[in-house]
Amino acid sequence: MLQIPFIRENKDLVLAGLRKRHFADAESTVEQLLSLDQQRRDTQKEQDDKLARQNAIAKEIGQLMKTGQKEAADAAKAETATLKEQSKVLGEQLTGIEQQVQAILVTVPNIPHSSVPEGRSADDNEVVLEWGDKPNLHAGAEPHWELIKRFGPGGSPMIDFDLGNKISGAGFPVYKGRAARLQRALINFFLDKALAAGYVEVQPPIVINEDSGFGTGQLPDKEGQMYYADADKLYLIPTAEVPVTNLYRDVMVAESDLPIKNVAYTPCFRREAGSWGAHVRGLNRLHQFDKVEIVRIEKPENSYTVLEEMSQHVQGLLQVLELPYRVLRLCGGDMGFTSALTYDMEVWSAGQGRWLEVSSVSNFETYQANRLKLRAKLDGSKPTLLHTLNGSALALPRILAAILENNQTAEGTIRIPAVLVPYCGFDVID
């Protein structure tokens, strides 16, 4: 959430950022916020003046009583009663104005970093780099949704969508045999690489309350994409970013504890309402999936250096998995609501002949921290909002899809990347 002083002092920057995002009614929204802010400051000054007058009269009343000026003291008391009533009314007005400001602020997205390119959609994202050679598959090579129909126990599907549909519904597959072991291998491999990079592992809850959803910006923006347990007013998490970042909600972090580096594995749940078509077939889009997430809490001056470090960490995972990939810098129209700068990593899916997004790494600057009230006293100064960052390291479904597709052989087997063999205990699926 943006801060009113920042908007007031950087009006042109804010307007330019909102236009880059193609935010509707940017000018009228900013003008409304600044008008309400001026009303708030005027009302606050009027209330402060009346409170100051009350304090001054209180001293006068004591002096008047001492000198026997009872009528003058009674008149002063009457004025104090009037001032108290006026102050109460002004206080109620202040509360109403602040509620209006808050209601508008939660609808305003973060301001993009200066390096964010112009654009309206994914077609306008900037390709930063591309790594690796795309595999040349044999004739008759298949997409993963065909490959997974075999290789399971007793010749059954190793990833069974029909069985998941019976248990839960569409988008909840059952992993069996070597597919289940490969899932576990990927999770442990990703966690081990994060631990080696200095991250501290946490195992958070996979349900969150409304305060947590608000803190990281999922509410009120994405409630339609989250599963909701109405009786308990709890949401299933869409990503570990939410519970892990909320560990630090309402926390004054000691400067000596910075930087904070956390990693967590969780299942994730997304309704993905309105999604259909070939691009979401098989593992390309699920309602439940596994993901390892890295989260950083940083001093503001360090956050963009850290963002590049996080990007390199994710790229390193893709490289040792032998997956060709590219890095995209998202344009203003394709960025997430809370992000200031996002890199997407996409792997090449040889069986589908297209790129698949497998990770987003983002810097939110102070946007989440302002909602979370996540601060630190840096260099002994007054409390300062910290910067939050997170990234998928990595989400499993499309990684698994690319591994299966890119490593299929003319002999009808699937080769396992060498780095995963110690984790899963086999080097080929046949």
Side-chain angles (χ1 to χ4, degrees):
M1 189 165 62
L2 298 179
Q3 297 173 278
I4 282 291
F6 177 83
I7 298 174
R8 185 193 316 132
E9 296 163 14
N10 300 276
K11 178 182 175 182
D12 291 342
L13 175 67
V14 170
L15 284 172
L18 293 179
R19 292 188 194 107
K20 181 178 280 190
R21 279 185 169 273
H22 303 280
F23 179 74
D25 303 319
E27 287 79 4
S28 61
T29 299
V30 169
E31 289 301 333
Q32 186 178 9
L33 282 170
L34 293 179
S35 174
L36 286 167
D37 176 54
Q38 188 61 55
Q39 291 179 44
R40 182 196 63 78
R41 289 191 290 160
D42 291 344
T43 304
Q44 184 68 67
K45 183 180 184 305
E46 186 177 355
Q47 186 186 49
D48 291 344
D49 289 345
K50 292 188 182 298
L51 291 173
R53 177 58 183 155
Q54 287 179 56
N55 292 334
I57 292 175
K59 294 178 182 177
E60 292 174 9
I61 291 173
Q63 189 62 36
L64 291 170
M65 293 298 288
K66 285 181 181 179
T67 57
Q69 302 179 62
K70 186 176 182 305
E71 288 186 8
D74 289 342
K77 290 178 182 178
E79 183 180 356
T80 298
T82 300
L83 288 169
K84 284 182 178 179
E85 186 59 34
Q86 291 173 343
S87 294
K88 179 183 177 182
V89 171
L90 290 169
E92 292 170 349
Q93 291 176 2
L94 272 175
T95 298
I97 294 170
E98 289 165 356
Q99 288 174 345
Q100 291 182 67
V101 169
Q102 183 77 0
I104 298 171
L105 276 178
V106 298
T107 69
V108 180
N110 203 353
I111 301 304
H113 186 260
S114 60
S115 67
V116 170
E118 298 283 351
R120 289 185 174 274
S121 70
D123 293 335
D124 302 312
N125 292 336
E126 175 189 348
V127 178
V128 177
L129 64 87
E130 190 171 322
W131 182 92
D133 297 322
K134 297 175 183 177
N136 294 313
L137 298 182
H138 58 278
E142 297 176 304
H144 72 273
W145 54 80
E146 297 297 337
L147 293 170
I148 63 175
K149 291 179 180 178
R150 47 192 184 272
F151 301 118
S156 66
M158 65 175 175
I159 301 176
D160 198 326
F161 280 85
D162 290 338
L163 192 55
N165 190 49
K166 181 179 79 170
I167 298 167
S168 304
F172 296 92
V174 175
Y175 300 82
K176 298 185 292 186
R178 282 171 290 189
R181 291 168 64 187
L182 191 52
Q183 284 276 106
R184 180 158 46 89
L186 284 165
I187 293 165
N188 288 334
F189 170 66
F190 293 151
L191 286 171
D192 284 352
K193 295 295 282 187
L195 296 177
Y199 288 85
V200 175
E201 185 176 357
V202 295
Q203 189 176 62
I206 61 170
V207 293
I208 56 163
N209 57 30
E210 292 180 2
D211 288 342
S212 295
F214 177 81
T216 44
Q218 277 68 32
L219 298 176
D221 181 50
K222 295 183 177 66
E223 59 265 53
Q225 291 299 324
M226 292 194 290
Y227 287 97
Y228 183 56
D230 184 66
D232 300 306
K233 300 191 183 305
L234 295 172
Y235 294 86
L236 293 178
I237 63 169
T239 166
E241 163 203 346
V242 184
V244 175
T245 310
N246 270 278
L247 294 174
Y248 307 99
R249 175 157 44 94
D250 297 320
V251 171
M252 183 73 69
V253 178
E255 185 172 8
S256 59
D257 290 336
L258 294 171
I260 292 171
K261 303 172 65 174
N262 286 152
V263 61
Y265 153 70
T266 64
C268 303
F269 304 88
R270 298 182 186 179
R271 293 186 60 240
E272 302 287 6
S275 297
W276 65 86
H279 66 291
V280 299
R281 193 171 177 183
L283 296 172
N284 288 346
R285 186 158 298 175
L286 301 175
H287 292 310
Q288 178 182 332
F289 60 95
D290 294 310
K291 181 157 68 80
V292 173
E293 187 83 2
I294 51 175
V295 173
R296 300 283 290 262
I297 312 295
E298 294 284 343
K299 294 180 180 179
E301 63 268 25
N302 297 336
S303 67
Y304 280 97
T305 299
V306 167
L307 181 66
E308 299 302 323
E309 176 191 320
M310 294 171 72
S311 172
Q312 289 298 319
H313 176 81
V314 174
Q315 291 180 57
L317 299 176
L318 298 174
Q319 289 171 13
V320 296
L321 288 173
E322 307 166 41
L323 293 173
Y325 69 88
R326 66 180 185 178
V327 179
L328 305 177
R329 183 183 286 114
L330 299 194
C331 70
D334 197 38
M335 292 172 60
F337 185 84
T338 54
S339 174
L341 176 59
T342 294
Y343 291 119
D344 270 6
M345 283 68 170
E346 298 180 336
V347 297
W348 179 251
S349 164
Q352 301 174 63
R354 67 189 189 93
W355 295 100
L356 302 176
E357 179 197 333
V358 294
S359 174
S360 290
V361 181
S362 301
N363 187 350
F364 304 93
E365 296 188 358
T366 61
Y367 193 91
Q368 290 182 331
N370 189 32
R371 288 176 172 230
L372 295 159
K373 300 297 180 281
L374 168 54
R375 300 167 293 168
K377 292 183 179 179
L378 304 178
D379 300 320
S381 64
K382 64 180 182 179
T384 300
L385 290 173
L386 296 170
H387 281 198
T388 62
L389 306 92
N390 65 56
S392 307
L394 286 155
L396 269 65
R398 295 172 190 168
I399 289 290
L400 182 56
I403 288 174
L404 296 176
E405 293 179 7
N406 293 7
N407 293 288
Q408 59 184 301
T409 70
E411 293 72 36
T413 63
I414 300 172
R415 183 184 64 86
I416 300 300
V419 73
L420 293 179
V421 173
Y423 286 88
C424 61
F426 52 88
D427 60 4
V428 67
I429 296 176
D430 54 17

